[in-house]
């Protein structure tokens, strides 16, 4: 199965993705995590990405697409994968469709986690990652609304969009995620491909 998690910062994409990859036994492709790992290597790529991330801006599409393309060519992605925080722009979404088509595959579901702004601010204030300062969160939210939210309509047109209420306990949200993709705990082994 190939699944995308889309949603504003703090919506719970990473939290729910972590649970879903265990259930489906597929790799977790978080572009945010990949970029934070690149920062640790102090490469030129990592330093460039860090500047965008610290400013709450999206990293340029060509850099993101390069790392995603490399990752998707690895064997563990052949049976499926879960995208967390990617795609985030229409060019990224179009490129993902093309990469998957080359592999004779396609997305199965796009899970849109919906959470109100007040709840997002409260969650991120509690977490305190380096890009969780209030001014950076505002910029991340702005990037989401301007560049990423339009993908909701893009995937709706393709009949892939599954809107999910992202508030409540993580267990409650995970129950909605499972319902949205029609997978229960009992069928995890059969549903990975
Ligand atoms: P990224 O790392 O993807 O961050 P984000 O989208 O801003 O989202 P977060 O990771 O903050 O939130 P989340 O939805 O994963 O929520 P989480 O589960 O952590 O991207 C960071 C940056 O990298 C971007 O700003 C950009 O610069 C760059 N980037 C990444 N991908 C890119 C791309 N494709 N193109 C261009 N640039 C890209 O939960 C948040 C908190 O809430 C946690 O503390 C969690 O414990 C808590 N929580 C979760 N669920 C619940 C719940 N149900 N109730 C209460 N608390 C909850
Ligand atoms: Mg995340």
């Amino acid at each position: 199965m190939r699944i995308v998690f889309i949603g504003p910062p703090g919506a719970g994409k990473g939290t729910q993705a972590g649970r879903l990859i265990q259930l489906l036994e597929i790799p977790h492709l978080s572009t945010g995590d990949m970029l934070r790992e690149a920062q640790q290597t102090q490469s030129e790529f990592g330093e460039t990405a860090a500047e965008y991330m610290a400013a709450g801006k999206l990293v340029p599409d060509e850099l993101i697409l390069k790392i995603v393309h490399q990752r998707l060519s690895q064997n563990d992605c052949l049976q499926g994968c879960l995208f967390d925080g990617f795609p985030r722009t229409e060019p990224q979404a179009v490129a993902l469709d093309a990469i998957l088509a080359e592999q004779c595959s396609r997305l199965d579901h796009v899970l849109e986690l919906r959470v109100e702004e007040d709840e997002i601010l409260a969650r991120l204030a509690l977490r305190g990652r380096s890009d969780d300062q209030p001014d950076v969160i505002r910029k991340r939210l702005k990037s989401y609304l301007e560049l990423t939210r339009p993908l909701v309509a893009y995937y709706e047109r393709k009949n892939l969009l599954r809107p999910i209420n992202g508030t409540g306990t993580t267990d409650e949200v995970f129950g909605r995620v499972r319902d949205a993709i029609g997978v229960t705990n009992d069928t995890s082994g059969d549903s990975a491909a």
Side-chain angles (χ1 to χ4, degrees):
M1 212 181 276
R2 287 171 185 80
I3 296 175
V4 166
F5 265 112
I6 194 168
K13 302 182 294 294
T15 303
Q16 296 299 324
R19 297 185 63 165
L20 196 53
I21 55 156
Q22 287 182 24
L23 183 66
L24 299 178
E25 298 178 345
I26 53 177
H28 181 184
L29 270 66
S30 159
T31 41
D33 288 349
M34 290 178 193
L35 295 169
R36 281 183 285 277
E37 277 163 27
Q39 279 179 46
Q40 303 302 318
T41 65
Q42 294 174 342
S43 60
E44 193 184 332
F45 168 69
E47 284 175 16
T48 304
E51 285 172 23
Y52 285 95
M53 293 166 85
K57 291 183 181 167
L58 293 188
V59 174
D61 290 337
E62 60 270 23
L63 296 181
I64 296 292
L65 288 169
K66 199 169 164 193
I67 56 169
V68 170
H69 202 279
Q70 278 171 359
R71 183 67 185 87
L72 278 178
S73 64
Q74 291 169 6
N75 283 342
D76 63 333
C77 294
L78 288 175
Q79 295 306 311
C81 64
L82 194 160
F83 298 98
D84 161 6
F86 173 88
R88 255 174 151 104
T89 63
E90 185 153 338
Q92 290 182 19
V94 170
L96 176 61
D97 288 343
I99 296 170
L100 293 178
E102 268 172 30
Q103 300 178 346
C104 298
S105 95
R106 59 190 291 278
L107 292 174
D108 296 286
H109 303 283
V110 175
L111 306 178
E112 183 209 0
L113 284 176
R114 295 186 173 175
V115 177
E116 296 295 328
E117 193 170 318
D118 287 354
E119 169 76 10
I120 288 170
L121 296 174
R123 288 183 185 181
L124 297 182
L126 275 179
R127 183 179 62 178
R129 201 169 70 192
S130 66
D131 57 349
D132 284 343
Q133 297 94 346
D135 57 327
V136 183
I137 296 170
R138 272 195 299 278
K139 289 178 187 149
R140 286 161 60 201
L141 276 166
K142 189 166 178 279
S143 299
Y144 176 75
L145 291 174
E146 287 178 3
L147 298 164
T148 309
R149 187 99 215 301
L151 293 183
V152 165
Y154 177 90
Y155 286 122
E156 208 162 24
R157 285 195 295 276
K158 291 175 180 279
N159 276 329
L160 292 174
L161 190 76
R162 323 280 179 247
I164 291 169
N165 173 1
T167 53
T169 66
T170 54
D171 280 349
E172 285 167 344
V173 178
F174 192 56
R176 294 175 201 139
V177 165
R178 284 204 317 261
D179 287 347
I181 62 170
V183 171
T184 66
N185 275 319
D186 304 330
T187 58
S188 59
D190 298 332
S191 307

